[in-house]
Amino acid sequence: MTAVEPPVHLQYTVEHEWLDSGSPATVGITSVAADALGDIVYLELPTVGDEVTAGAVIGEVESTKSVSELFSPVSGTVVEVNQAAVDDPSVVNSDPYGAGWLLRVDVTETGTLLSAEEYAGLNPA
């Protein structure tokens, strides 16, 4: 998959996670990250009920090229994990902003987030 323009309705971290404004908020990794990682083969995600902290490592994304840490864009409680993506991590490569979402968090505090324009400026297509 080739990196695409980041959807304007989402917010982003410099570590390539995205976040929607839902309640609970949905978290995933961007197409830039998915493209750079290559074929994703394993996801290590927090479990439902875990407390996460904005900016802290909450898991790993393993690909055929490397292993990368996953950072939380927000603080809060994990209320759902995308088991379909855990069972078939390739969905993160094929649909990072849709079916490849990773977890949902009941947000208590946000970290430093970027707009789509700011994120695209740091990661030109």
Side-chain angles (χ1 to χ4, degrees):
M1 174 177 190
T2 301
V4 297
E5 292 292 322
V8 296
H9 68 286
L10 301 176
Q11 294 182 293
Y12 302 88
T13 69
V14 293
E15 292 89 10
H16 307 290
E17 286 83 20
W18 60 261
L19 173 81
D20 73 6
S21 59
S23 180
T26 304
V27 175
I29 65 170
T30 67
S31 61
V32 170
D35 193 46
L37 286 165
D39 295 333
I40 296 172
V41 295
Y42 179 76
L43 296 171
E44 180 183 305
L45 301 175
T47 59
V48 172
D50 283 355
E51 297 291 324
V52 296
T53 302
V57 174
I58 57 171
E60 290 183 344
V61 179
E62 183 177 334
S63 72
T64 54
K65 292 182 180 178
S66 66
V67 176
S68 297
E69 294 179 321
L70 177 66
F71 296 89
S72 181
V74 294
S75 296
T77 305
V78 176
V79 296
E80 187 176 357
V81 172
N82 185 355
Q83 189 61 47
V86 172
D87 293 342
D88 179 13
S90 68
V91 71
V92 177
N93 290 109
S94 63
D95 192 9
Y97 300 112
W101 63 275
L102 299 178
L103 57 135
R104 292 195 166 108
V105 179
D106 189 10
V107 177
T108 58
E109 183 177 356
T110 59
T112 301
L113 300 173
L114 306 171
S115 68
E117 182 177 277
E118 292 168 328
Y119 181 78
L122 295 175
N123 302 283

